[in-house]
Amino acid sequence: MGPYVNGKECVYVSGVVQSVSPTMRIRRKSHNDIVPKRDITFADKTKKTVVVSLWNDHATNVGQELLDNADKFPIVAIKSLKVGDFQVVSLYDSECKGASMASIRSDISPSKGGVRSMYYDRVSLSHVTSNPSLGEDKPSFFSIRAYISFIKPDQTMWYRACKTCNKKVTDAIGSGYWCEGCQKNDDECSLRYIMVVKVSDASGEAWLSLFNDQAERIFGCSADELDKLKSQEGEENLFQQKLKEAIWVPQLFRISVAQHEYMNEKRQRITARAVVPVDFAAESRLLLEEISKMKTSQ
């Protein structure tokens, strides 16, 4: 959610409904008429809250539905909201054209690198692997729910990176590390993940490329920390244990699909752009929506 700075713009919020007020009757100064209003308090995963005021039909219709289901803590996304002087977000009938309340599946929040909601463009792995032309002109983006089924333990899982720009470094003449990007030597470097894992779902399997941020989420530790575990000797192989803990755990992946050339042959490359644990309540809502669509189409 975050702080709002421009009261003239419309914004988008999504989160868990924490509380719903009863309908209030408010006299508007501009028209001297009385209109229904209802306040909804939302919280997001950062535990920050925002109050959204519903007006007119939104207050009496959708607002009442939310009040009836408030004990179930519904997840709601609302777009086209106007920010007031007191940082209260309002949804009117006549203002912010296109205003709507959406279910979890429509919770779309574009950001850098094509990352969107994990419930947008959800496909099976076979949809990707059976379409070799995907990503031919430009990368295609999808969301999948899958398990990491295999991690090759003897692959190169990280590279030595510059602590300033994260680019690959080489051994400097004498000692330390040379960064071509920064054009400087440094006494230290850091390790950053770059690796592939096999992912599986009910439809099939595929190799998935992981970069640093996504691998850290999966392993729960940095590449430097995993490297220390790998170099430790003893009966307990903590490195292998970390790899074992990462497999057969359900994950939601936002992926990109692109083409690259290998040995003069075009191949599909699937890369994880975001990884989050499965939210089983949200998954259940997604399945209920799919069932509802199937019933409607019959």
Side-chain angles (χ1 to χ4, degrees), residues 1 14-19 41-44 72-76:
M1 294 174 189
S14 66
V16 180
V17 175
Q18 298 291 299
S19 62
T41 303
F42 286 85
D44 66 5
K72 298 174 184 174
F73 298 99
I75 298 174
V76 177

Side-chain angles (χ1 to χ4, degrees), residues 8-296:
K8 295 180 181 179
E9 292 183 353
C10 288
V11 299
Y12 165 99
V13 299
S14 66
V16 180
V17 175
Q18 298 291 299
S19 62
V20 182
S21 78
T23 302
M24 298 170 277
R25 299 288 169 179
I26 305 297
R27 184 180 296 277
R28 297 179 66 182
K29 292 180 181 178
S30 55
H31 301 91
N32 200 34
D33 57 342
I34 297 174
V35 295
K37 175 194 175 189
R38 193 189 298 267
D39 289 338
I40 316 292
T41 303
F42 286 85
D44 66 5
K45 61 185 178 183
T46 66
K47 298 183 179 178
K48 292 180 181 177
T49 60
V50 67
V51 176
V52 175
S53 297
L54 305 183
W55 297 83
N56 301 324
D57 288 344
H58 290 304
T60 54
N61 297 336
V62 179
Q64 185 60 47
E65 187 180 346
L66 288 175
L67 180 62
D68 294 341
N69 293 280
D71 59 333
K72 298 174 184 174
F73 298 99
I75 298 174
V76 177
I78 313 179
K79 65 180 181 180
S80 302
L81 301 169
K82 187 176 181 182
V83 182
D85 293 336
F86 299 100
Q87 304 297 285
V88 175
V89 185
S90 295
L91 176 60
Y92 286 88
D93 280 337
S94 58
E95 297 185 46
C96 298
K97 289 183 179 179
S100 66
M101 299 192 73
S103 68
I104 188 71
R105 189 181 178 90
S106 300
D107 177 9
I108 306 169
S109 50
S111 63
K112 190 176 179 181
V115 177
R116 295 191 179 202
S117 164
M118 297 299 182
Y119 301 90
Y120 185 78
D121 284 342
R122 175 71 70 83
V123 299
S124 64
L125 275 174
S126 63
H127 174 81
V128 177
T129 55
S130 63
N131 287 281
S133 61
L134 280 176
E136 207 162 41
D137 299 323
K138 61 179 182 178
S140 299
F141 293 89
F142 302 99
S143 295
I144 60 170
R145 176 185 169 181
Y147 300 87
I148 295 174
S149 53
F150 177 67
I151 303 171
K152 196 176 178 183
D154 58 348
Q155 68 175 300
T156 301
M157 295 184 180
W158 43 70
Y159 69 95
R160 294 184 301 183
C162 172
K163 287 196 166 186
T164 303
C165 70
N166 292 332
K167 289 183 179 178
K168 188 176 180 179
V169 296
T170 55
D171 290 324
I173 298 171
S175 64
Y177 305 94
W178 168 254
C179 175
E180 189 68 29
C182 296
Q183 288 287 302
K184 67 172 186 178
N185 282 337
D186 202 327
D187 293 336
E188 295 181 336
C189 69
S190 61
L191 298 179
R192 289 178 66 83
Y193 288 109
I194 183 167
M195 59 186 298
V196 293
V197 296
K198 186 174 281 187
V199 290
S200 304
D201 67 7
S203 71
E205 58 186 21
W207 288 101
L208 180 69
S209 297
L210 295 178
F211 292 115
N212 192 67
D213 292 353
Q214 293 72 43
E216 279 191 351
R217 282 181 175 270
I218 288 166
F219 294 118
C221 67
S222 68
D224 283 301
E225 291 168 323
L226 196 59
D227 180 51
K228 286 177 184 175
L229 295 181
K230 191 175 183 179
S231 60
Q232 286 177 4
E233 295 181 2
E235 289 184 15
E236 284 188 66
N237 194 326
L238 297 177
F239 170 73
Q240 291 285 357
Q241 185 64 30
K242 272 287 183 187
L243 300 191
K244 189 177 179 181
E245 287 171 0
I247 65 172
W248 302 118
V249 178
Q251 306 271 13
L252 301 184
F253 297 91
R254 187 71 188 162
I255 61 169
S256 66
V257 184
Q259 300 286 329
H260 73 109
E261 276 200 18
Y262 181 76
M263 303 287 286
N264 295 321
E265 184 182 335
K266 278 195 173 182
R267 292 192 179 183
Q268 198 177 64
R269 175 178 287 159
I270 307 170
T271 304
R273 299 298 176 183
V275 184
V276 296
V278 172
D279 178 338
F280 290 100
E283 286 295 305
S284 298
R285 281 188 288 274
L286 183 64
L287 290 172
L288 287 170
E289 283 190 24
E290 291 297 323
I291 292 168
S292 178
K293 285 180 184 176
M294 289 167 68
K295 285 182 177 179
T296 306

